[in-house]
Amino acid sequence: MPSVMLRKREDGKLLFYVPKKDLEETIESIEFDSPDKWGGEVVLGDGSRYFFEVLDTPPPIPITLQAKRVSGE
Amino acid sequence: MAALTREETEALIQEVLEIYPEKAQKDRAKHLAINDQSLEKANKCITSNRKSLPGVMTIRGCAYAGSKGVVWGPIKDMIHISHGPVGCGQYSRAGRRNYYVGTTGVNTFGTMNFTSDFTEKDIVFGGDKKLAKLIDEIEVLFPLNKGISIQSECPIGLIGDDIEAVSKVKTKEHGKTIVPVRCEGFRGVSQSLGHHIANDAIRDWVLEKRDGDDSFQTTPYDVAVIGDYNIGGDAWASRTLLEEMGLRVVAQWSGDGTIAEIENTPKVKLNLIHCYRSMNYIARHMEEKYSIPWIEYNFFGPTKIAESLRRIASYFDDNIKEGAERVIKRYEAEFTAVIEKYKPRLQGKKVMLYIGGLRPRHVIGAYEDLGMEVVGTGYEFAHNDDYDRTIKEMGNATLLYDDVTGYEFEEFVKKIKPDLIGSGVKEKYIFQKMGVPFRQMHSWDYSGPYHGYDGFAIFARDMDMTLNNPCWKNIRAPWKTQDAGDEAVKAVA
């Protein structure tokens, strides 16, 4: 369960940053992204998948959250 | 020699790798790459931030070097104790030329070396008592210090001293910031982890000191310059430009910086990151905790400076935007004159770089402004995100080398035959003896500043001075020239 730092890039895309791994990737898609539900599975620019706990409201960005790695098919 | 094609570069890498045993060959092959601008991500072509192979000549430093030498060392009004044996501190003392103003030994301590001078006894019985005594002595001898940082050397971690406990006790006793930094040299694969540890120590022990204290008068134009170590006066050359465009520089991290500036940084509106590698951690932290946005900028060479100034200005109102244009215009005549003077002398020359964690990509623009071409670049301790940023700066089919070994670098230079090499002092004399012009690009070969418009003039002069120095023609003994050799053969025949 890596700690993930989320921040917005200038073009509005979310950046997914894992300090320990030097992984900085854009988030290409996120399962739930509406005012009353946020989180779920995210797909990164390099194709890897992670899972965030589903929240009731979108978190304030930037923020550090715990993510779970979703193993590939 | 014309630029190499992709195939030629590939062949060159293969040729250089040949000498290694099979396992080493496989490992090193991952660290050498040919630049491909079409790639988005560097991890597809190059591996970085991995342990160096035993037996090769690596140029990397250690975590202590990253923390004491780079991040903490330049904070001028603090005393940085090299906690452990005497050598680490003494041999790295004042080598980085972080300039500062102040009276050394009275209110600033940048070029001094403080060490707990560990001996066998301290290793056996522990050094915490000695450290406590040392801190008391510092308070008596240098009462104007604003804080103390304890930079651990390897033995501290190995014998398990509790420097945090000593710090806490002494902080209470003296009422000053005392920061234990766990930057033992054996941590990590290079100085890069030392930067990270140092950033974390600042975050945990210093940054939040003035949270909730609003006595500091802020303005909407406050910025902090982060990751500029004022080598040869770099930060000053940058700072003048920012101030001229109407911004107020609240803090310099950490060249010519003070602990008060660091404590005030959470109150700025924008963090400007020059050295991304060594200080992005703290910028990310401040973005999260204090919602301060941060941007990277590059003050090498007029093209990049103008680009950066406009980018910085885009975060502020029209006043600053006009200010940026005004600054660029004001210096235009100056830098055009520099380019006019030096470009004809430097045009078309090829450069190979091998530096630390930022300059391998940042100085490319400055060379290009002078009509020079960077044909190979590499980092000592970069991570993947640095290479991501490098790919776009470098030409296609140019060489990228990560943590290059002494042997590889020499072979590359022999084959590519660059006109100039920019690297560190450990490589300097090899290449000078090979007869290749060389600039030491870590601390500017005792010159500088190189940042900003003022710095660009010095940069151009230095490159010209090195490249077009008449000494390079005389480096071969006269009887060893090609002609003389031929004649000698004829004479014998």
Side-chain angles (χ1 to χ4, degrees):
Chain A
M1 283 230 323
S3 286
V4 179
M5 212 172 217
L6 292 176
R7 63 185 291 258
K8 262 209 172 72
R9 206 162 64 175
E10 276 143 59
D11 60 3
K13 266 204 168 159
L14 271 182
L15 277 178
F16 182 101
Y17 176 70
V18 186
K20 284 238 168 87
K21 286 186 160 169
D22 266 313
L23 174 76
E24 194 176 27
E25 274 290 350
T26 50
I27 291 184
E28 293 301 325
S29 74
I30 182 159
E31 199 175 348
F32 305 109
D33 191 9
S34 54
D36 57 339
K37 207 174 185 193
W38 188 95
E41 200 171 291
V42 295
V43 181
L44 305 188
D46 64 353
S48 57
R49 289 157 189 280
Y50 285 83
F51 180 82
F52 286 112
E53 285 290 312
V54 179
L55 304 172
D56 295 337
T57 49
I61 305 274
I63 192 172
T64 300
L65 291 173
Q66 299 290 317
K68 253 188 234 141
R69 202 175 172 144
V70 179
S71 52
E73 300 83 70
Chain B
M1 192 176 147
L4 295 175
T5 63
R6 179 161 289 273
E7 287 71 32
E8 282 168 330
T9 318
E10 188 104 50
L12 171 62
I13 291 179
Q14 282 314 319
E15 196 187 320
V16 168
L17 283 174
E18 211 126 88
I19 199 160
Y20 289 124
E22 198 180 328
K23 211 172 151 192
Q25 213 176 79
K26 226 170 118 191
D27 182 90
R28 285 304 306 162
K30 294 184 207 151
H31 294 265
L32 306 173
I34 308 154
N35 192 37
D36 181 352
Q37 284 177 321
S38 64
L39 285 178
E40 265 303 319
K41 283 283 168 191
N43 54 10
K44 300 224 164 58
C45 70
I46 198 160
T47 309
S48 53
N49 200 28
R50 291 281 178 279
K51 192 177 176 312
S52 307
L53 283 176
V56 301
M57 294 275 282
T58 175
I59 292 126
R60 284 174 163 177
C62 68
Y64 164 84
S67 176
K68 157 73 171 38
V70 176
V71 177
W72 281 98
I75 302 174
K76 61 181 176 179
D77 61 354
M78 287 180 82
I79 285 175
H80 310 287
I81 302 171
S82 297
H83 189 36
V86 66
C88 302
Q90 182 57 20
Y91 291 118
S92 63
R93 185 182 71 90
R96 221 160 165 260
R97 301 195 318 116
N98 314 100
Y99 285 3
Y100 58 89
V101 280
T103 310
T104 304
V106 178
N107 59 2
T108 48
F109 310 93
T111 50
M112 296 173 79
N113 174 29
F114 296 85
T115 176
S116 47
D117 188 16
F118 259 42
T119 52
E120 217 176 325
K121 187 184 106 241
D122 303 306
I123 302 288
V124 175
F125 297 107
D128 284 342
K129 277 197 192 119
K130 195 173 196 178
L131 179 63
K133 194 172 160 210
L134 175 64
I135 292 172
D136 293 339
E137 274 176 20
I138 285 175
E139 286 306 317
V140 174
L141 291 171
F142 304 100
L144 292 183
N145 79 73
K146 294 278 166 30
I148 294 169
S149 79
I150 300 156
Q151 308 285 336
S152 316
E153 294 168 11
C154 295
I156 309 307
L158 294 172
I159 64 177
D161 269 10
D162 194 354
I163 57 171
E164 284 83 2
V166 178
S167 305
K168 276 180 192 149
V169 170
K170 290 292 159 189
T171 303
K172 241 185 220 149
E173 202 175 303
H174 298 298
K176 283 185 181 160
T177 308
I178 299 177
V179 186
V181 190
R182 283 284 180 187
C183 57
E184 287 91 350
F186 56 75
R187 291 180 200 271
V189 298
S190 65
Q191 53 266 62
S192 189
L193 189 69
H195 305 143
H196 198 154
I197 293 168
N199 276 237
D200 288 355
I202 294 179
R203 179 193 70 194
D204 295 341
W205 296 81
V206 185
L207 204 61
E208 55 197 18
K209 288 256 154 161
R210 294 194 59 175
D211 284 6
D213 167 7
D214 294 327
S215 58
F216 180 69
Q217 296 279 323
T218 59
T219 72
Y221 303 127
D222 289 354
V223 294
V225 171
I226 293 191
D228 194 327
Y229 300 105
N230 205 25
I231 291 163
D234 277 344
W236 295 329
S238 311
R239 186 185 178 123
T240 50
L241 296 182
L242 296 168
E243 283 175 348
E244 223 170 278
M245 69 191 261
L247 297 170
R248 185 169 79 141
V249 179
V250 169
Q252 274 172 236
W253 290 53
S254 53
D256 196 30
T258 61
I259 186 162
E261 289 175 30
I262 289 188
E263 286 169 5
N264 278 332
T265 308
K267 313 204 182 300
V268 302
K269 298 292 176 294
L270 180 66
N271 277 325
L272 308 175
I273 314 290
H274 204 255
C275 182
Y276 170 84
R277 182 69 273 136
S278 60
M279 286 213 173
N280 77 79
Y281 317 101
I282 200 78
R284 286 177 197 274
H285 169 72
M286 280 194 264
E287 183 179 39
E288 191 177 341
K289 186 161 179 198
Y290 303 100
S291 334
I292 304 168
W294 54 276
I295 56 165
E296 293 164 54
Y297 71 106
N298 177 357
F299 270 3
F300 286 106
T303 316
K304 292 287 173 193
I305 297 175
E307 226 171 75
S308 299
L309 287 177
R310 291 196 176 110
R311 219 169 139 225
I312 293 167
S314 71
Y315 280 76
F316 293 95
D317 59 17
D318 287 346
N319 267 337
I320 304 293
K321 284 183 190 129
E322 275 158 36
E325 297 305 323
R326 199 175 57 235
V327 172
I328 296 165
K329 212 166 166 70
R330 197 194 129 189
Y331 287 94
E332 199 168 359
E334 209 174 284
F335 69 73
T336 326
V338 170
I339 291 175
E340 262 165 29
K341 182 172 174 192
Y342 292 107
K343 200 167 179 178
R345 298 169 64 85
L346 297 170
Q347 182 92 42
K349 300 284 187 191
K350 292 201 301 292
V351 190
M352 270 175 89
L353 299 170
Y354 177 61
I355 332 173
L358 143 105
R359 290 161 186 161
R361 66 171 178 276
H362 264 39
V363 297
I364 295 172
Y367 280 115
E368 281 171 356
D369 284 336
L370 292 170
M372 298 164 83
E373 186 194 352
V374 180
V375 292
T377 197
Y379 297 84
E380 271 176 43
F381 52 82
H383 299 198
N384 267 331
D385 38 356
D386 293 297
Y387 284 101
D388 290 347
R389 290 163 169 79
T390 313
I391 292 175
K392 301 286 169 217
E393 302 276 337
M394 285 292 284
N396 252 328
T398 50
L399 201 54
L400 294 176
Y401 30 84
D402 177 68
D403 185 25
V404 76
T405 68
Y407 161 76
E408 287 163 16
F409 200 17
E410 252 182 81
E411 290 303 305
F412 286 148
V413 167
K414 279 184 201 155
K415 293 284 150 46
I416 295 179
K417 296 195 177 68
D419 300 293
L420 176 73
I421 299 171
S423 189
V425 76
K426 295 179 215 105
E427 299 87 74
K428 178 171 177 166
Y429 299 99
I430 304 164
F431 293 119
Q432 286 195 342
K433 285 175 184 173
M434 281 163 70
V436 188
F438 186 98
R439 284 303 295 186
Q440 198 264 88
M441 293 297 280
H442 284 278
S443 58
W444 312 142
D445 245 341
Y446 315 102
S447 179
Y450 283 180
H451 290 181
Y453 290 118
D454 295 337
F456 179 66
I458 298 166
F459 174 82
R461 182 204 65 190
D462 285 355
M463 294 309 138
D464 176 48
M465 189 167 82
T466 307
L467 246 167
N468 296 316
N469 195 314
C471 77
W472 303 117
K473 287 195 213 89
N474 299 322
I475 206 139
R476 269 176 89 94
W479 61 89
K480 279 189 178 163
T481 56
Q482 196 57 46
D483 294 349
D486 288 352
E487 270 162 38
V489 173
K490 266 182 221 155
V492 170

